[in-house]
Amino acid sequence: MQSFRDEIENPIVQKEIIDLEKKIYSFRNGQIDDERFRSLRLARGIYGQRQEGVQMIRIKLPYGKVTSEQLNRITEVSDKYSTGRLHITTRQDIQIHYVSLDRTPELWADLAKDNITLREACGNTVRNITGSELAGVDVDEPFDVTPYAHGLFEYLLRNPICQEMGRKFKISFSSSDKDTALSYLHDLGFIPKIVNGEKGFKIMFAGGLGSQPSHAELLSEFVPVNQIIPTAEGIIRVFDRHGERAKRLKARMKFLIKDLGRDEFLRLVEEEKKALPFHSYEIDTTAFEGPITEPLLAVPSATIDDAAAFEVWKKSNVIPQKQAGYVAIGVKVLLGDFYTDKARLLADLIKNYGANELRFSLRQNIVIRNIKEENLPFFYQELAKLEMVSLGYDTIGDITACPGTDTCNLGIASSTGIADELERVIKAEFPQYSNNTEIEIKISGCMNACGQHNMSAIGFQGMSINSGKLVAPALQVLLGGGRLGNGAGRFSDKVIKIPSRRGPDALRLILNDYEANGNGQSFLNYYDAKGEKYFYEFLKPLADVTNLTDADFVDWGNADNYVKAVGVGECAGVVIDLVATLLFEAKDKLIVAQESFADGKWSDSIYQAYAGFVNGAKALLLSENEKTNTHSGIIDLFDTVFVATNKIQLDSTFTELVYQINKNEPSEAFAKEYIEQGIAFFDKIETYRAKDLADA
């Protein structure tokens, strides 16, 4: 397989792909524990499926942007290694399924030819940075946030501070106060502002969905653009050091803020400032400031046969841009799934006749940007050939759904099947709602909220329900969530649980009642006026399980009776308990630290040495059966168990030794000294461990 390695131009990417190949070989030969290997592959975008022996691959696309060349590359990879289906996620990634683990290094190498990565698409890392799909063309934006989202993505990719955190970390950039990138449910959410002529961001922090949604807090009303990278780095460093690592359900930053308190958390962030490599970081925006790319070919004239249908489509799916004479086209993608045959033609269309860019949206759609208004008839004609002119872009009938039981280990009930049926019901029975953009419907197959069900006006969560000795697929109905703008939002109330087959009836009852009793109010005001109990009462008959039929035991999109089968979730890494593995990793961190030092990356080398200290200490603590659930806890506990008892003799406390990291600037001299101290510490613990095993 040397040939595919040699074709990679970037030596850093080449090295990490070869490393993945070696890790797979070691795993296959029993040299890496299954649990540890899971965390390694997750950080490289390789995620176990519900189906045995195959992988889901998540392709990381910052703020959803792709060029024609990149989309063509993704289609080639999908055809070669997968099934030809492309799934757009709610984080603007592309997922492909049914991939052999052994072929993933070659797959990654193919993607890298067009500067596409899998790196940190899953696992306990900074996930894909999302952004408003209209950023750069939004009529309401104070400035284009795209270069800042891109700059932060580039800064954090492969950064040692966020490779093995206690849990995932999510960042978003909205284009305006409308907050379409949903800052209020992110670990860090950025909303653009201009204050006294200076560009900056309002920053929200510590939000999240999952089984326990939490509204983000305000970090600052205004942070200048040259401060967003130092601000983000300080927060991520504190999360990495103090975040929970043993109790996965309590490991997101929102729980750390609750445990420490806002003031203490921000004090720790302030304490990190000296260690930061940059106290101000100017993001280069020039690559995003040029004129709109002209089409490669002259756009042919087009004759519209059905002028009325064309006008309806324009009203539904065409979006004005801030650039005069240009528009964006919203393509509604059912369930976020489209296929390589159409994708390839779409890639050629935007390259030859557009501006060679499209963006995948948070609602699992496609946005074709920078189209000259005069060329809309041609694009309508060509998109119609691809069956990409379905009406209702970003409306109530444009339902968001995760893959659910189709491929996900954690899926409890079908989300795609019920979404498909609800879209059919809306189109057939509620045409009066065809242009309603206020009511969003979102569906998740389990409590983890990948489909964002608990922040929508109408949400459904996959569950199961007992009826005697039988188990039927079920849906939790949620109501009253939504985006309010400028960093504010609301989460949905859990109203009632019903058998899945009755989901369409629940939607009918809700929409019919809204029409009869809404009195012209917005849906959220109508919900607030009526109250949760009102909806529970009129939906209650649907919850009766004494009258289930055979059909109720067959989930949407399935032909066989429902079987509740939940696997092991892989939304993040797991706790590794092997002492030898941790010692190996500690040594590896120190080797990587030396390599970074040789490359002149002082800050990176210091953080890698820090990770070596912590991994080594954790290994010895685990050998003593001591609990180790945070980095800061490991550091404190090592002093108690080993240093204070003179089992390990140091020239200072372990705390003083390790925390030099935030007492010194990241200079060459300190990096050299810190790495040398890390190597000396590792020699001591390795000697102690060898003696301990010999005496056992």
Side-chain angles (χ1 to χ4, degrees):
M1 299 181 76
Q2 188 67 37
S3 60
F4 83 76
R5 297 174 182 169
D6 292 342
E7 292 174 8
I8 306 169
E9 295 180 2
N10 187 327
I12 297 172
V13 178
Q14 183 186 57
K15 183 178 182 296
E16 62 191 12
I17 292 174
I18 292 171
D19 180 61
L20 173 61
E21 188 180 27
K22 289 178 179 177
K23 292 290 197 301
I24 292 171
Y25 178 83
S26 298
F27 170 68
R28 294 294 194 201
N29 288 278
Q31 297 167 334
I32 298 180
D33 174 78
D34 181 64
E35 298 300 320
R36 176 56 186 155
F37 181 68
R38 181 185 300 177
S39 66
L40 287 169
R41 63 175 167 77
L42 284 170
R44 290 150 181 84
I46 306 165
Y47 193 104
Q49 275 186 216
R50 193 179 189 90
Q51 295 78 11
E52 197 71 32
V54 290
Q55 313 294 318
M56 176 272 281
I57 304 299
R58 184 174 293 153
I59 300 169
K60 192 172 190 178
L61 301 170
Y63 47 92
K65 178 185 176 182
V66 289
T67 62
S68 169
E69 292 80 6
Q70 289 174 322
L71 184 55
N72 267 318
R73 180 67 63 187
I74 291 168
T75 64
E76 289 174 14
V77 162
S78 182
D79 285 339
K80 183 177 178 180
Y81 302 98
S82 181
T83 63
R85 186 185 77 165
L86 308 175
H87 177 72
I88 307 168
T89 76
T90 55
R91 294 205 66 75
Q92 298 171 292
D93 300 297
I94 287 289
Q95 290 178 177
I96 61 176
H97 296 83
Y98 300 98
V99 176
S100 165
L101 175 64
D102 296 318
R103 301 188 73 192
T104 53
E106 190 176 357
L107 179 155
W108 189 353
D110 281 346
L111 288 172
K113 294 170 187 175
D114 279 294
N115 197 29
I116 306 169
T117 189
L118 306 179
R119 182 85 195 213
E120 298 149 49
C122 307
N124 296 329
T125 61
V126 174
R127 298 291 185 85
N128 196 32
I129 293 180
T130 57
S132 299
E133 59 270 16
L134 294 179
V137 302
D138 188 345
V139 295
D140 296 313
E141 68 184 19
F143 59 88
D144 184 7
V145 303
T146 305
Y148 303 99
H150 192 79
L152 187 55
F153 156 73
E154 288 190 320
Y155 186 83
L156 295 176
L157 189 70
R158 303 183 184 91
N159 196 311
I161 66 172
C162 51
Q163 296 306 300
E164 296 177 334
M165 299 184 290
R167 200 69 165 83
K168 59 190 173 184
F169 194 97
K170 296 183 176 181
I171 298 173
S172 75
F173 280 79
S174 288
S175 59
S176 72
D177 283 358
K178 289 182 178 178
D179 199 14
T180 53
L182 312 174
S183 68
Y184 65 97
L185 50 83
H186 281 78
D187 294 290
L188 281 176
F190 294 85
I191 303 170
K193 303 285 182 180
I194 294 179
V195 175
N196 297 325
E198 183 179 17
K199 293 178 181 178
F201 290 91
K202 177 177 183 175
I203 302 180
M204 307 296 294
F205 81 121
L209 283 179
S211 59
Q212 300 179 59
S214 180
H215 196 292
E217 297 185 26
L218 175 66
L219 178 67
S220 175
E221 285 286 357
F222 185 79
V223 173
V225 291
N226 63 6
Q227 290 298 307
I228 66 170
I229 281 180
T231 299
E233 178 165 1
I235 287 170
I236 291 169
R237 281 172 173 254
V238 172
F239 175 62
D240 185 42
R241 187 164 304 143
H242 295 273
E244 174 68 44
R245 290 173 181 268
K247 301 171 186 173
R248 181 177 167 278
L249 294 178
K250 295 288 185 181
R252 291 293 300 274
M253 192 168 75
K254 59 188 178 182
F255 297 109
L256 179 60
I257 302 298
K258 289 177 182 177
D259 290 344
L260 292 177
R262 174 192 171 90
D263 291 346
E264 174 62 11
F265 180 87
L266 294 180
R267 185 192 70 77
L268 292 169
V269 172
E270 184 69 23
E271 202 173 68
E272 285 297 307
K273 279 190 174 179
K274 195 167 189 178
L276 300 182
F278 303 98
H279 296 106
S280 178
Y281 192 101
E282 298 292 343
I283 293 173
D284 185 4
T285 63
T286 53
F288 301 86
E289 293 172 348
I292 295 172
T293 302
E294 287 291 321
L296 285 180
L297 304 177
V299 178
S301 60
T303 302
I304 300 299
D305 294 328
D306 189 339
F310 175 61
E311 292 301 323
V312 170
W313 172 77
K314 281 204 299 183
K315 182 178 179 183
S316 171
N317 291 41
V318 175
I319 307 148
Q321 291 190 186
K322 69 179 184 181
Q323 295 87 354
Y326 285 87
V327 295
I329 299 170
V331 177
K332 180 186 171 192
V333 182
L334 179 64
L335 305 176
D337 291 336
F338 66 121
Y339 292 83
T340 53
D341 56 344
K342 306 280 179 64
R344 195 170 289 110
L345 294 170
L346 178 62
D348 292 343
L349 182 66
I350 63 169
K351 181 176 184 177
N352 292 328
Y353 303 110
N356 197 24
E357 177 191 337
L358 58 79
R359 296 199 189 183
F360 300 119
S361 79
L362 283 83
R363 290 184 66 171
Q364 302 174 292
N365 290 318
I366 297 171
V367 178
I368 306 169
R369 299 147 51 97
N370 296 320
I371 301 302
K372 291 182 179 179
E373 197 164 4
E374 65 202 56
N375 295 333
L376 273 176
F378 170 76
F379 271 87
Y380 176 71
Q381 184 182 74
E382 296 305 303
L383 290 172
K385 295 175 185 176
L386 302 181
E387 299 179 315
M388 289 186 171
V389 291
S390 295
L391 302 178
Y393 171 81
D394 272 5
T395 65
I396 183 175
D398 191 0
I399 296 175
T400 301
C402 70
T405 51
D406 291 357
T407 54
C408 180
N409 266 324
L410 291 175
I412 297 173
S414 172
S415 46
T416 57
I418 182 63
D420 200 11
E421 177 62 15
L422 294 183
E423 287 206 14
R424 188 198 65 76
V425 167
I426 292 169
K427 184 176 181 180
E429 302 177 26
F430 295 92
Q432 67 271 37
Y433 287 96
S434 61
N435 292 317
N436 184 299
T437 57
E438 183 218 348
I439 303 173
E440 296 182 356
I441 300 177
K442 298 178 182 287
I443 306 172
S444 300
C446 75
M447 64 181 181
N448 282 317
C450 295
Q452 302 176 337
H453 65 277
N454 46 10
M455 54 74 61
S456 61
I458 302 173
F460 296 94
Q461 175 194 325
M463 308 184 83
S464 63
I465 198 166
N466 295 323
S467 177
K469 295 181 179 180
L470 299 176
V471 180
L475 295 169
Q476 178 93 55
V477 181
L478 300 96
L479 296 170
R483 164 177 53 91
L484 303 178
N486 200 27
R490 44 190 282 175
F491 299 114
S492 316
D493 295 325
K494 297 177 181 177
V495 176
I496 197 167
K497 182 165 74 169
I498 61 175
S500 286
R501 284 285 168 177
R502 298 174 186 173
D505 285 337
L507 181 62
R508 290 182 181 102
L509 287 171
I510 293 164
L511 293 183
N512 283 330
D513 192 84
Y514 176 46
E515 190 160 3
N517 300 306
N519 298 320
Q521 301 176 92
S522 70
F523 185 84
L524 293 184
N525 286 342
Y526 150 75
Y527 176 77
D528 290 341
K530 296 295 185 182
E532 179 186 341
K533 191 172 185 340
Y534 173 84
F535 294 90
Y536 172 81
E537 289 298 335
F538 80 65
L539 293 174
K540 188 176 179 181
L542 298 180
D544 185 1
V545 296
T546 63
N547 56 0
L548 298 184
T549 66
D550 289 345
D552 289 310
F553 293 93
V554 179
D555 207 354
W556 292 102
N558 291 272
D560 300 322
N561 275 10
Y562 172 77
V563 177
K564 182 180 178 181
V566 183
V568 177
E570 297 197 334
C571 295
V574 294
V575 181
I576 310 303
D577 293 327
L578 299 177
V579 174
T581 300
L582 281 168
L583 285 171
F584 173 81
E585 288 179 4
K587 188 173 185 177
D588 187 58
K589 298 293 184 191
L590 292 167
I591 291 170
V592 174
Q594 291 172 295
E595 292 173 352
S596 294
F597 182 84
D599 290 339
K601 299 176 180 177
W602 320 134
S603 180
D604 285 6
S605 67
I606 291 165
Y607 210 89
Q608 286 152 349
Y610 161 79
F613 276 118
V614 173
N615 276 9
K618 181 176 180 178
L620 256 61
L621 287 168
L622 288 176
S623 73
E624 300 283 334
N625 294 316
E626 294 285 354
K627 181 181 178 182
T628 55
N629 63 330
T630 66
H631 276 189
S632 57
I634 291 167
I635 294 165
D636 292 343
L637 194 56
F638 191 86
D639 269 331
T640 302
V641 175
F642 292 102
V643 179
T645 58
N646 286 320
K647 291 181 180 179
I648 301 281
Q649 294 186 346
L650 302 175
D651 294 334
S652 66
T653 66
F654 186 59
T655 300
E656 291 169 335
L657 176 63
V658 176
Y659 280 148
Q660 290 179 91
I661 189 173
N662 60 17
K663 305 293 188 296
N664 290 272
E665 294 180 358
S667 64
E668 178 181 4
F670 174 62
K672 184 174 185 292
E673 181 183 8
Y674 198 60
I675 293 169
E676 289 172 349
Q677 291 171 337
I679 293 169
F681 173 73
F682 183 81
D683 289 343
K684 287 188 177 185
I685 63 174
E686 194 172 41
T687 300
Y688 177 89
R689 178 61 177 165
K691 184 177 184 302
D692 194 38
L693 289 173
D695 294 341

